[in-house]
Amino acid sequence: MSGIFPETVMQTSRLTLRPFTSGDIDDTRAACSDELTQRWLPLPRPYTREDATAWCTEVAHALRESGDGLHFAIADASTDRLMGTVGLKKTDWRARVSEVGYWVAPWARGRGIAAEATRVLGEWLLTDQAFQRMELLAATENTASRKVALRAGLHREGVLRNAGFVHAGRVDLVLFSLVPQDLQSRSPAPTGPSS
């Protein structure tokens, strides 16, 4: 059993989660070339303008069309400037499970953007899409990403030894999850999808 997530846009008072466009190429290249982003994600090194062009205009869209997941540009709601990305990958349509991932551009860090976007995406996945579980994996030493997971309302489950890889080599990953029951004790979502 497989499926494809619908193309959608989600909005909060300060963020727009939307598909990537060619207008995001330069900011994507700059963000993915950043030392901290490169430390925790096995992105091409160096991350070229061609890499950014392929991601923004082809790869992110093809991953949705293949059923693998759905990748959003996190944009400033007032300026539409790219601030980061949040997306779903490794989607198991039969089990109704998907894995969330994100990065935040250096110029947008420290403002709670990743946690807000992850929370909105998780609520959409578990309610509108009727999924049963959203997972997040973060390197044990990636303190910032682990804090984002908790701020987004995910629950820490344990450590997967030697399960990830970064440019420096193999890393242990902390597994977090969000399930429908976790949403019952939370306040209503600050946003909803728009067309």
Side-chain angles (χ1 to χ4, degrees):
M1 175 188 286
S2 64
I4 297 175
F5 287 115
E7 279 200 44
T8 189
V9 173
M10 293 180 232
Q11 192 85 35
T12 73
S13 60
R14 62 185 189 143
L15 304 178
T16 301
L17 276 58
R18 58 164 175 76
F20 277 88
T21 70
S22 59
D24 299 317
I25 292 170
D26 289 333
D27 282 340
T28 297
R29 187 208 51 78
C32 290
S33 297
D34 173 68
E35 183 179 332
L36 187 58
T37 304
Q38 283 278 329
R39 178 178 179 192
W40 297 117
L41 298 176
L43 298 167
R45 183 187 278 177
Y47 194 90
T48 65
R49 191 168 200 283
E50 291 75 24
D51 294 321
T53 299
W55 174 259
C56 293
T57 62
E58 298 171 23
V59 177
H61 304 281
L63 289 170
R64 184 191 76 79
E65 293 162 5
S66 75
D68 179 71
L70 181 64
H71 300 271
F72 291 96
I74 304 171
D76 183 295
S78 59
T79 67
D80 199 43
R81 183 176 185 193
L82 182 73
M83 302 168 77
T85 184
V86 65
L88 300 169
K89 60 184 179 177
K90 301 178 184 173
T91 302
D92 184 333
W93 288 92
R94 186 170 184 207
R96 307 300 281 180
V97 176
S98 193
E99 179 185 333
V100 66
Y102 45 76
W103 53 254
V104 175
W107 54 87
R109 290 185 185 138
R111 297 165 44 193
I113 290 163
E116 182 176 337
T118 299
R119 183 171 45 253
V120 168
L121 181 57
E123 291 174 359
W124 176 81
L125 179 70
L126 299 179
T127 56
D128 294 11
Q129 300 304 304
F131 267 60
Q132 295 303 305
R133 180 176 170 89
M134 182 175 78
E135 296 180 341
L136 185 149
L137 296 167
T140 54
E141 294 181 18
N142 189 345
T143 307
S145 188
R146 290 181 15 238
K147 287 180 180 177
V148 165
L150 295 173
R151 288 184 185 132
L154 283 81
H155 295 268
R156 184 183 191 278
E157 293 189 349
V159 174
L160 305 175
R161 297 181 306 139
N162 205 33
F165 64 95
V166 296
H167 290 292
R170 302 297 302 188
V171 294
D172 294 347
L173 298 174
V174 182
L175 173 64
F176 296 87
S177 69
L178 187 70
V179 299
Q181 293 83 349
D182 298 332
L183 302 180
Q184 294 172 1
S185 61
R186 294 164 69 176
S187 58
T191 71
S194 58
S195 59

